[in-house]
Amino acid sequence: MTTITKAACVGGGVIGGAWAARFALAGIDVNIFDPHPEAERIIGEVMANAERAYGMLTMAPLPPLGKLTFCKSIQEAVEDVDWIQESVPERLPLKRGVITEIDAAARPDALIGSSTSGLLPSDLQAEMKHPERMFVAHPYNPVYLLPLVELVGGKKTSPQTIRRAEEAVAEIGMKGVVIAKEIEAFVGDRLLEALWREALWLIQDDICDTETLDDVMRYSFGMRWAQMGLFETYRIAGGEAGMRHFLAQFGPCLKWPWTKFTDVVDLDEALVEKIGAQSDAQAAGRSIRELERIRDENLVGIMHALKASDGGKGWGAGKLLADFEKRLWAKGGTPSTAHDVSGPLRLVETRVNAAWVDYNGHMTEHRYLQLFGDTSDALLKLIGVDFAYVEAGHSYYTVETHIRHLGEAKLGQALYTTLQLLSSDEKRIHFFTRIHDAASGDVIATAEQMMLHVDAKAGKSVPAPAEVMAKLKPIAEGHAKLDAPDGAGRHVGQKR
């Protein structure tokens, strides 16, 4: 399995900075070279957005943030790293020259990816001494959230390089899609360019304005595409007869003169001003940074919804997120001996994201339960009840829960949870969890819960094995010295 331990980003604009954020949030140290005088500020703003987005995206234990180092030359940036991502402006002579310079300074086994939106990898690798390790790694903005990267090899790219790249991006939560043949603009940008061309004509001919066009997309087929793409959506449109019926019914429409795909609109000054003015009005005064934050909140919400799809197994980008979280949980467990058991265990830290709130801007009831569940999962992880343990046929099931809502968690609010063990034996764990406001430490909600150790295959409770009890023992002994928490043992309706 190919993993990246250190990366370099040559070019730190919108795409290069977001690549740096993707690597750093995966715990990878990143060298950056960009001669722009404000490169550090620009990348710092991208990192802030990325960290905010990840705080909403997952409660899985992220690795320590990778270190960003700004270098004075390409050579300094790329020597002794595993992956170099080139993201300089889209001009063939410039990109080819930069990639050739990277090739001369990098280790022979280092992977070199280009963020080009459409240039052929064969053209980019033409002057390299080691062209076999160079390929296109074309991402989509924001790179730190959108998981797709198109992997395209050139004539001299080795199959092993593409295989290594596919393995490496999976480790940082991305979906590497291998494009079978190199072609200008690859797959995604060809589809986007066709849509973009038609959209410009609709604005040019005053059929609609920019907001109407965006509304047509985001309230209809844009939602379908986010979860099923094009062909699977059309398969459903074909009914029980499927794709063949759809093609027979709607295929002839392709001959109708509906589109102007082969015509290029003249982007003269008047059309540029028309689109610019309509776009300004549509933004309603929101800055680019505000729009980026809204975009990220929406993308997180979509991925959360997709993660819950297909009976909880996940679908599309949601399944990819679930698989990434599974790897994070597998890597991120901390032995219980590393925790201070003289007080309640601090187990989960998160932030209330847009997908968690109701019409009042408050966190919904089922998200409180989710947060309590994530905390109990973290406890189980500490005592060795991880994915492998569950897959082997045993687990702890929650059999009782009593929640008290003492305050309100609101959109964007930082939270953390603490757990106090009340009692335990070979079958049961009885504990008390608090959700705190991260700024003040105030308790917002509590849950008292009981879990039962079960043999999932037999469908009955059984004693936990000795190794689990041994990890639980120091927590139980430490917490036995604590005072009973306020609210423990209460029932619904009991007066304070």
Side-chain angles (χ1 to χ4, degrees), residues 7-28 30-32 34 39-51 53-54 65 68 70 83 85-88 115 137-149 172 174 289 292 295-296 299:
C9 290
V10 177
V14 172
I15 297 298
W19 266 112
R22 169 69 79 165
F23 288 130
L25 285 163
I28 298 167
V30 188
N31 289 344
I32 301 169
D34 191 319
E40 290 193 40
R41 177 190 63 80
I42 293 168
I43 292 176
E45 291 179 356
V46 174
M47 278 299 305
N49 272 357
E51 290 184 70
Y54 267 54
L65 188 68
L68 301 185
F70 288 86
W83 180 300
Q85 188 67 25
E86 170 275 311
S87 305
V88 303
S115 298
H138 175 235
Y140 288 80
N141 194 34
V143 183
Y144 53 78
L145 269 185
L146 292 184
L148 183 79
V149 55
I172 60 173
M174 300 187 82
R289 292 291 174 259
E292 286 175 343
R295 173 202 65 192
D296 290 355
L299 290 173

Side-chain angles (χ1 to χ4, degrees), residues 1 13 50 59 71 94 121 131 144 151 172 210 303 347 365 383 385 391 411 441:
M1 179 64 69
M59 290 184 183
C71 302
L94 173 62
Y144 53 78
L151 301 175
I172 60 173
T210 60
M303 284 191 274
L347 295 177
E365 291 182 9
I383 62 175
V385 182
E391 288 174 352
L411 178 63

